[in-house]
Amino acid sequence: MEGAIVAAVVLAAATVFGLVRKRRDGVLRERRGNGMAGEPPDEQLLAVVELGERATLVQFSSAFCAPCRTTRRVLGEVAALVEGVSHVELDAEAHLELVRRLNVLRTPTTLVLDTAGREVRRAAGAPRKADVIAALGAAIG
Amino acid sequence: MQVDPRGQRFAAAVTTLVLIAVLVTGNAVLLAGQALVFAIATVGGLRLAPYGVVFRVLVRPRLGPPAELEEQAPPRFAQGVGLVFALAGTAGYALGADWLGIGATAFALGAAFLNAVFGFCLGCEMYPLIRRITTKIRSDREVPA
């Protein structure tokens, strides 16, 4: 009997979690406490990322990650489409220290950096193309 | 190697049903069977995974070709995570520690259900997080110079 109750609770909780996740997945958000005037760019990030002229899309990926492929395609297309924007993909495993510093919890995580390398937006999960382009507006504008 | 993602969803759905049955009956043998299924998929690869074979033989011929294929490494790793929980749960039920059996099976059920219904692979997503924690432990253990 206990087990059946646990099963019902788990299924209900997983349904709620799944629905919330689905809504949030890939949405580019402004980071809290990271306003436009914001903090200086992360030096360690700048050390490994070659910044684009106007903005940079940094993608954290890992080997065991199916949506990373979709993200790579989307960000690559946007970088090709928008002048002065570069796409840099980092292997989370090879940059664990950086992953910790930037508090990257999942792959793929996408950071939109402005021309100085400050984080303007971030998305966990594969972002949609239109959303990335809109976020670039915030980084460039 | 690439696999049909619908096969993963199907396998997750079957796993979900099996794990619900385990929780309702508290049957250690059934959970051990599921552990074996996880083990075959983890060690032998998804081609040999029992539920994957059922999908290929019975379900796939009725469907069209897949829209896209995916790498087998992420779901295979997730099967390994499932194996750990299934083994812990089997040990729990078999040794009379029902709380361990129920707890471990509940985690595995949550993950399988999310995969089946939402196509969300918890085991795959956990991978970088697990790496973060394990390397942190290792670096904490190192003697400072």
Side-chain angles (χ1 to χ4, degrees), chain A residues 10-126:
Chain A
V10 166
L11 294 182
T15 302
V16 171
F17 176 80
L19 290 174
V20 170
R21 255 303 287 265
K22 209 174 166 189
R23 257 220 346 245
R24 288 190 170 185
D25 203 52
V27 176
L28 288 133
R29 290 160 186 275
E30 210 171 313
R31 274 193 85 197
R32 263 174 298 171
N34 195 10
M36 286 292 137
E39 309 146 21
D42 188 285
E43 276 174 31
Q44 216 174 322
L45 180 63
L46 293 188
V48 291
V49 171
E50 201 176 319
L51 291 177
E53 211 176 296
R54 296 162 75 197
T56 312
L57 303 168
V58 179
Q59 175 187 350
F60 284 93
S61 297
S62 63
F64 296 103
C65 164
C68 291
R69 272 200 317 170
T70 317
T71 307
R72 183 180 311 139
R73 198 185 59 227
V74 167
L75 298 185
E77 283 172 11
V78 172
L81 195 74
V82 187
E83 179 100 14
V85 172
S86 70
H87 170 214
V88 180
E89 189 171 352
L90 299 176
D91 180 11
E93 266 195 80
H95 299 91
L96 283 172
E97 179 68 31
L98 188 59
V99 162
R100 217 171 282 139
R101 274 171 72 100
L102 297 176
N103 201 27
V104 171
L105 297 175
R106 288 174 54 196
T107 55
T109 288
T110 302
L111 310 180
V112 180
L113 308 182
D114 67 9
T115 179
R118 278 185 295 259
E119 181 182 331
V120 180
R121 293 278 190 283
R122 123 171 356 199

Side-chain angles (χ1 to χ4, degrees), chain B residues 18-66:
Chain B
V18 171
L19 293 175
I20 290 173
V22 170
L23 280 175
V24 172
T25 61
N27 190 330
V29 178
L30 188 57
L31 186 54
Q34 179 58 49
L36 183 64
V37 168
F38 280 140
I40 294 170
T42 308
V43 177
L46 298 181
R47 288 265 143 199
L48 298 176
Y51 301 156
V53 172
V54 173
F55 174 78
R56 273 205 305 284
V57 174
L58 293 181
V59 184
R60 192 159 167 185
R62 291 160 213 269
L63 303 172

